[in-house]
Amino acid sequence: MNIVIIGAGQLGSRHLQAMALLEDSMNIYVVDPLETSLELSSKRFDEVDRFGNKSLFLLRKIDELPAAIEFAVIATTSIHRLYVIKKLFNHATVKYLLLEKFLFPFIEEYKEAQDVIAASRTITYVNCARRQWENYKKLKKEISNSSKINLIAKGTNWNLASNSIHLLDLFFYLNGREEIELNTDHLKQQLIQNKREGFIEFLGTISGTTERGSMFQLTCEESDAFNFTIEIETDEDKYCIDEMNEHIDFNGMQNKFSLYYQSQLTHIIYKQLIHNGSCDLTSFEESVHYHLILLRAFNEFLGDRVGIIT
């Protein structure tokens, strides 16, 4: 098996660590133009590799990859993602592809990416990983008969612009796919810098309501400290989830809520794809729909101002 990870920074190296947990022998190719990123990936791979049956190749160029790839992960920033997809597909056939979010920063890129992926017939998913978490699977079953399901996420310093797609994806995972129009009137006009240079973040609140009456609301305020909670409300029950501290309050009763890191997840997606041809994550086409809902709202808010979401 030829496995490829393009983008070997903080997130890409965690994808690599997850793949190292597999017992299967395989060739893993990691591609990044930065030597420091390749060194980080190599170090993190060595930290968890217990089987010693995988060949790790650290490359600077996509052109150096094999021509047939079983599974690829593209973990670059959004601004490079479409170029990387086209470069990869021009060089190799790819059976399964996993894309990181935010997919693309410009609306016109979505149609182009859809055409490229459709022509390749590559089975493609987007890594909004909460759909994999066992606690969210259990919660979905518990509230599946609710007439409406609200999701309210709030906190400080949690990067609303770049992480909002995870919450919108979770909202639709719990509710089912519905139409929603987002309101950005309560976002603050001041733009702040993302931790990645050249990318922006928003402060304030973005919200919306579906035709069925389910409410979606995200709030991020500025602070030196990180704080983040998710509230899930139905007509009868309320769940308050603190992922970082791994607990959930259900109608005042506290229980364990397990937090999963990327280094614990990617290999599970790989196994699902290899054995079933599908996985727990959001399909590319469905995720495009969710991304465009957000991107159109953000663009309307930005107006003539320029900003890129990572």
Side-chain angles (χ1 to χ4, degrees), residues 130 133 136 151-160 163-164 166-168 170 217-221 225-231 240-247 259:
R130 283 179 175 85
W133 296 20
Y136 282 120
L151 187 151
I152 303 165
K154 54 191 175 182
T156 57
N157 200 30
W158 63 269
N159 292 344
L160 184 151
N163 287 320
S164 55
H166 282 297
L167 283 308
L168 187 62
L170 177 61
Q217 181 176 294
L218 308 179
T219 300
C220 183
E221 301 297 343
F226 170 85
N227 178 270
F228 183 70
T229 58
I230 299 173
E231 295 176 2
C240 186
I241 302 163
D242 184 338
E243 294 176 343
M244 292 304 297
N245 290 309
E246 297 192 87
H247 63 73
L259 171 68

Side-chain angles (χ1 to χ4, degrees), residues 204-273:
T205 298
I206 185 170
S207 61
T209 304
T210 68
E211 290 184 0
R212 192 175 63 164
S214 295
M215 182 178 69
F216 175 73
Q217 181 176 294
L218 308 179
T219 300
C220 183
E221 301 297 343
E222 193 168 23
S223 173
D224 293 334
F226 170 85
N227 178 270
F228 183 70
T229 58
I230 299 173
E231 295 176 2
I232 307 294
E233 298 177 344
T234 68
D235 291 328
E236 299 178 351
D237 297 313
K238 181 176 180 179
Y239 303 79
C240 186
I241 302 163
D242 184 338
E243 294 176 343
M244 292 304 297
N245 290 309
E246 297 192 87
H247 63 73
I248 179 172
D249 287 336
F250 169 60
N251 294 341
M253 298 180 293
Q254 190 173 110
N255 290 294
K256 172 76 172 175
F257 191 93
S258 297
L259 171 68
Y260 292 86
Y261 294 98
Q262 196 59 56
S263 57
Q264 301 169 296
L265 296 172
T266 313
H267 64 303
I268 298 172
I269 292 302
Y270 168 80
K271 288 193 290 187
Q272 289 177 342
L273 289 171

Side-chain angles (χ1 to χ4, degrees), residues 179-210:
E179 292 304 314
I180 189 171
E181 186 173 339
L182 297 179
N183 184 309
T184 60
D185 291 346
H186 298 287
L187 286 178
K188 297 180 180 179
Q189 289 298 316
Q190 174 195 5
L191 303 180
I192 60 175
Q193 293 299 311
N194 184 276
K195 60 184 178 181
R196 291 189 175 97
E197 186 177 354
F199 297 90
I200 61 165
E201 285 296 341
F202 304 134
L203 297 172
T205 298
I206 185 170
S207 61
T209 304
T210 68

Side-chain angles (χ1 to χ4, degrees), residues 33-207:
L34 297 179
E35 188 64 34
T36 53
S37 295
L38 294 175
E39 290 173 356
L40 174 66
S41 287
S42 179
K43 177 177 179 293
R44 286 184 171 171
F45 179 81
D46 290 340
E47 288 173 356
V48 299
D49 179 31
R50 300 192 304 272
F51 301 105
N53 60 349
K54 298 173 183 63
S55 298
L56 181 64
F57 301 90
L58 305 175
L59 308 177
R60 303 287 287 272
K61 297 179 180 180
I62 291 173
D63 295 341
E64 298 172 353
L65 289 170
I69 296 166
E70 188 75 10
F71 176 62
V73 179
I74 297 181
T76 65
T77 55
S78 65
I79 200 166
H80 297 118
R81 189 160 291 120
L82 179 58
Y83 168 81
V84 170
I85 291 171
K86 292 193 291 186
K87 183 82 172 175
L88 178 62
F89 285 178
N90 283 335
H91 175 76
T93 59
V94 181
K95 189 171 184 180
Y96 302 109
L97 177 64
L98 178 61
L99 299 175
E100 273 299 337
K101 58 80 204 169
F102 204 85
L103 276 174
F104 315 104
F106 305 113
I107 285 177
E108 59 271 18
E109 291 184 318
Y110 286 81
K111 179 62 167 64
E112 186 174 357
Q114 285 175 305
D115 291 343
V116 169
I117 290 173
S120 74
R121 298 190 177 182
T122 298
I123 297 172
T124 306
Y125 286 86
V126 178
N127 192 37
C128 291
R130 283 179 175 85
R131 290 178 182 238
Q132 286 184 266
W133 296 20
E134 290 303 320
N135 286 108
Y136 282 120
K137 290 181 181 181
K138 179 182 177 183
L139 178 57
K140 179 178 172 66
K141 290 180 181 178
E142 289 179 4
I143 63 178
S144 61
N145 294 323
S146 302
S147 61
K148 64 178 182 179
I149 300 167
N150 300 332
L151 187 151
I152 303 165
K154 54 191 175 182
T156 57
N157 200 30
W158 63 269
N159 292 344
L160 184 151
S162 56
N163 287 320
S164 55
I165 186 60
H166 282 297
L167 283 308
L168 187 62
D169 183 87
L170 177 61
F171 176 76
F172 285 121
Y173 173 65
L174 297 175
N175 271 285
R177 181 167 170 171
E178 296 186 67
E179 292 304 314
I180 189 171
E181 186 173 339
L182 297 179
N183 184 309
T184 60
D185 291 346
H186 298 287
L187 286 178
K188 297 180 180 179
Q189 289 298 316
Q190 174 195 5
L191 303 180
I192 60 175
Q193 293 299 311
N194 184 276
K195 60 184 178 181
R196 291 189 175 97
E197 186 177 354
F199 297 90
I200 61 165
E201 285 296 341
F202 304 134
L203 297 172
T205 298
I206 185 170
S207 61

